[in-house]
Amino acid sequence: MQQQPTCTRLRVRSPHDAQIIFHAVAIGVLPMVTRRLDTEERRSISSGCVFVWEERGPSPEATGLGIERWTDGKRWGPSRVRDEFLFYTEKDPEPVDVEPNSDSDTTIGSSPLAHAGTPNEYVRVSLVKQTYSVFVETPRGRKKWHLIAYFTHDTLDYLRTVSDLPDLARVVVPPGNYRSARHNTSKHSRAQREERPHPFTPQYAPYPSPSRPVQPTPSGQHHDAGHVSEFGDRSGRAPPRDGQSLAPLTYLQNLAPLRRHPLDEEALMAFCPGLS
């Protein structure tokens, strides 16, 4: 038996529209798609078809609902994001052969056709796929539900809305029942990024302070005779600047030159006897 869409000839204008459809499924007003579409059902997809399905968990019940992933047999371009929806545009719709005297009403009006070169060959106008996903609490635990809506830009204005259907117009969605999976995921990812330690940034080692004589103070404490008030501690180190502890240039320039090693002094005096 052919599986029917959750809705037909309907467009989804906003996340609230999608949540009305979800709740209509939850209370039994609309049917849920319970298995992947077969070949004939995929061919029947046209503008205005809306499907609601439940994602199968990692360890589903033996008789439980759920589809592992959605397949419709079409090729899609990259996604675009708008109002928590993802939109995909169909690539290279397949040609459709139509006999000139055929009485078939091959979805003309729901999926317009355009000439593809030969007199009897037509190409179906590209569909747009609109997707929205939520987390919902069910008697079987927390589940992830998906809504897939198909439309064409040419027919969008002719499709009905939830406000046009009395059974959907009177549906009241309980606040917080359907939480956007995309919104949840982005929040979770942001929290993970905030908790993750920052990448290691190498720090420069502080410039070592040369030995200075330590003199007693009247209070009996000691202080560094080489201490300069612009430094943050008594070691002669400069305070951290942007995470890097470097001595100021003026401090380095005022340091007394370090004494050479005696062997270096002896070698230098051998070449330059006049130096003392």
Side-chain angles (χ1 to χ4, degrees):
M1 185 175 179
Q2 185 168 347
Q3 187 172 216
Q4 298 300 316
T6 302
C7 308
T8 57
R9 297 190 296 119
L10 187 73
R11 65 187 174 108
V12 181
R13 301 166 297 178
S14 66
H16 183 65
D17 277 6
Q19 291 178 11
I20 288 176
I21 296 172
F22 281 132
H23 196 57
V25 170
I27 62 179
V29 173
L30 294 174
M32 175 179 280
V33 177
T34 57
R35 60 169 173 78
R36 293 169 65 178
L37 305 184
D38 61 27
T39 303
E40 191 59 35
E41 290 164 352
R42 294 176 188 176
R43 288 175 181 166
S44 300
I45 294 175
S46 60
S47 181
C49 286
V50 178
F51 300 85
V52 171
W53 57 283
E54 182 178 293
E55 184 175 309
R56 181 180 298 168
S59 53
E61 305 87 346
T63 58
L65 299 174
I67 301 174
E68 186 175 352
R69 64 188 181 91
W70 185 257
T71 53
D72 51 27
K74 305 182 187 306
R75 298 177 63 240
W76 303 98
S79 64
R80 294 178 293 109
V81 183
R82 188 172 74 240
D83 295 334
E84 299 183 10
F85 290 106
L86 290 176
F87 292 87
Y88 304 82
T89 301
E90 186 181 12
K91 297 173 63 177
D92 305 324
E94 65 278 5
V96 179
D97 290 327
V98 179
E99 293 296 329
N101 299 323
S102 173
D103 293 332
S104 171
D105 58 349
T106 311
T107 60
I108 294 178
S110 59
S111 290
L113 305 176
H115 282 286
T118 61
N120 297 340
E121 189 180 59
Y122 292 79
V123 172
R124 181 175 45 76
V125 173
S126 295
L127 287 167
V128 176
K129 179 168 67 174
Q130 176 184 6
T131 71
Y132 182 66
S133 303
V134 296
F135 289 111
V136 56
E137 298 296 333
T138 73
R140 296 169 290 108
R142 189 190 197 207
K143 301 295 181 181
K144 190 174 185 180
W145 287 9
H146 302 269
L147 178 145
I148 312 287
Y150 298 90
F151 64 89
T152 64
H153 293 292
D154 293 344
T155 61
L156 193 58
D157 292 337
Y158 300 98
L159 298 177
R160 301 173 298 177
T161 69
V162 295
S163 305
D164 299 325
L165 303 176
D167 287 344
L168 297 182
R170 58 172 156 267
V171 170
V172 178
V173 181
N177 264 35
Y178 305 96
R179 290 176 294 164
S180 168
R182 180 174 178 78
H183 184 63
N184 246 37
T185 301
S186 61
K187 268 190 172 180
H188 179 65
S189 300
R190 186 169 62 251
Q192 282 187 328
R193 288 196 300 270
E194 289 172 355
E195 292 174 3
R196 189 180 304 149
H198 294 290
F200 173 75
T201 303
Q203 302 289 331
Y204 291 101
Y207 191 86
S209 175
S211 302
R212 298 284 186 179
V214 177
Q215 301 176 356
T217 62
S219 61
Q221 297 176 346
H222 294 78
H223 74 277
D224 187 349
H227 172 73
V228 182
S229 61
E230 63 180 317
F231 297 144
D233 57 27
R234 296 173 181 174
S235 66
R237 298 175 183 175
R241 298 187 178 184
D242 298 329
Q244 300 174 0
S245 299
L246 294 176
L249 181 60
T250 54
Y251 168 69
L252 298 176
Q253 290 173 336
N254 291 328
L255 287 178
L258 297 177
R259 183 74 178 175
R260 296 188 184 92
H261 191 277
L263 293 178
D264 292 337
E265 290 280 358
E266 185 178 344
L268 186 61
M269 293 298 296
F271 285 102
C272 304
L275 292 177
S276 57

